Amino acid sequence: MEKTTELKFTSPSFFQRLKGMLGVDFYRLFHTPLFYIFLGIAAIIPALVLMGSTMGGGEEIAEATPLFTNVWQIIAADSPLYIVNTIGEYANMNMVFIFGGIMVSIFIGHDYKSGYVKQLFTTHPKKEDYMMSKTLACAFAMACMCGTYFVGGLASGLFSGLSFKVNAGSLICAILGKIIMSLGWASLYTFINIIFRSKFGISIALCFFLGTGIPIIGAAAVVGNSAALNIFLYGSSVYACLSANFLSVLVCLVCSVAWAVIYNILGSLILSKRDCY
């Protein structure tokens, strides 16, 4: 009796699909000058901030009201400050999230401009895979920008003559918190670029505006320096400061993951209901 062999074809699992998408996104990320340009921008921001803090006000003014008294204030504020009083309180690693928004807009915008999205969704119709892959790839890029910012800040501090005194545990918690926040910010920026995919200028402007945290700063001006603002991305980013502890890192993690889930769900719904091209 002849035996027949039945061939069964199974569709790839979610993790297999995501792995394939991530492979493509990371390949494109590592093979485009955009990634390395923004790594360089992040590295030189601390030097520009320190240079600006010593110019324009004269020596007497600079000595009377220094923007920084400690090198690590370039990395994070001394304490959670939702209301910004001086540029010195604002000019820290949070600036990575502003320029990171521009990078994400260009990275995703190229998908639509080049026609890559049309080709992708013809062969890979799962929209949630696209959202998650883009979020993770862009979060990785922004985390790398945090890394080069730290290296740039350290190098700038060596030439500044400022104090290096710091609570090492709090500094580590602050840096970890900000790196973790890259996931939440990347999901927000990906979501914005999904909505305004055909309006590149609006995407960049909106990402820049939200990255500055102006809406939360405005809310803080009304409600004060309230820890309740930590449920927002900017609030948790500010919470990762030089007085941070394990709880601060946990707050950043919960906030970042929660918003990443929300924005990925909303972005996937929009992609499934509207023209992707």
Side-chain angles (χ1 to χ4, degrees):
M1 179 182 290
E2 256 185 56
K3 292 184 179 179
T4 59
T5 303
E6 185 179 349
L7 297 177
K8 293 183 178 180
F9 296 94
T10 58
S11 59
S13 67
F14 167 74
F15 292 104
Q16 289 174 323
R17 298 195 313 266
L18 182 60
K19 181 180 178 181
M21 292 279 287
L22 282 172
V24 174
D25 279 333
F26 275 107
Y27 178 86
R28 294 178 63 243
L29 184 68
F30 292 139
H31 288 79
T32 176
L34 173 72
F35 177 55
Y36 303 100
I37 289 172
F38 275 89
L39 288 183
I41 290 174
I44 65 174
I45 290 175
L48 295 177
V49 169
L50 275 179
M51 187 183 301
S53 69
T54 58
M55 295 175 62
E59 293 184 1
E60 294 181 0
I61 297 178
E63 290 178 1
T65 56
L67 290 181
F68 304 103
T69 57
N70 188 290
V71 168
W72 304 116
Q73 291 171 335
I74 307 171
I75 305 299
D78 290 322
S79 58
L81 293 170
Y82 309 97
I83 301 175
V84 178
N85 299 311
T86 68
I87 188 63
E89 296 172 349
Y90 185 88
N92 54 53
M93 194 178 283
N94 283 353
M95 296 180 71
V96 166
F97 303 131
I98 300 175
F99 290 94
I102 299 173
M103 183 207 65
V104 173
S105 294
I106 298 174
F107 185 60
I108 296 179
H110 184 262
D111 284 358
Y112 290 92
K113 185 177 180 181
S114 65
Y116 167 72
V117 167
K118 183 175 182 179
Q119 178 186 4
L120 174 66
F121 287 140
T122 301
T123 58
H124 196 114
K126 298 290 186 180
K127 308 302 188 300
E128 60 270 22
D129 298 351
Y130 178 84
M131 277 293 304
M132 187 166 292
S133 179
K134 279 292 182 288
T135 295
L136 292 176
C138 292
F140 171 82
M142 292 174 66
C144 289
M145 288 175 66
C146 288
T148 58
Y149 182 98
F150 174 79
V151 173
L154 186 61
S156 300
L158 292 173
F159 295 98
S160 68
L162 296 175
S163 170
F164 275 82
K165 186 178 180 181
V166 71
N167 182 311
S170 293
L171 175 63
I172 292 172
C173 287
I175 295 172
L176 282 177
K178 292 186 185 300
I179 290 175
I180 288 170
M181 292 307 301
S182 296
L183 176 64
W185 284 108
S187 64
L188 169 62
Y189 295 144
T190 301
F191 175 67
I192 290 173
N193 280 274
I194 291 301
I195 296 176
F196 299 102
R197 53 191 175 275
S198 60
K199 298 177 177 63
F200 182 65
I202 294 178
S203 295
I204 289 184
L206 189 55
C207 288
F208 182 88
F209 175 74
L210 294 176
T212 61
I214 290 177
I216 303 304
I217 293 173
V222 177
V223 302
N225 279 326
S226 171
L229 296 172
N230 291 336
I231 65 172
F232 301 103
L233 293 175
Y234 183 82
S236 288
S237 299
V238 167
Y239 196 53
C241 59
L242 295 180
S243 58
N245 51 35
F246 177 75
L247 177 61
S248 309
V249 177
L250 184 61
V251 168
C252 290
L253 178 62
V254 171
C255 177
S256 193
V257 171
W259 283 108
V261 171
I262 292 171
Y263 287 129
N264 271 266
I265 291 174
L266 293 176
S268 299
L269 287 174
I270 291 173
L271 280 174
S272 65
K273 294 181 180 296
R274 293 175 58 184
D275 182 11
C276 299
Y277 319 130

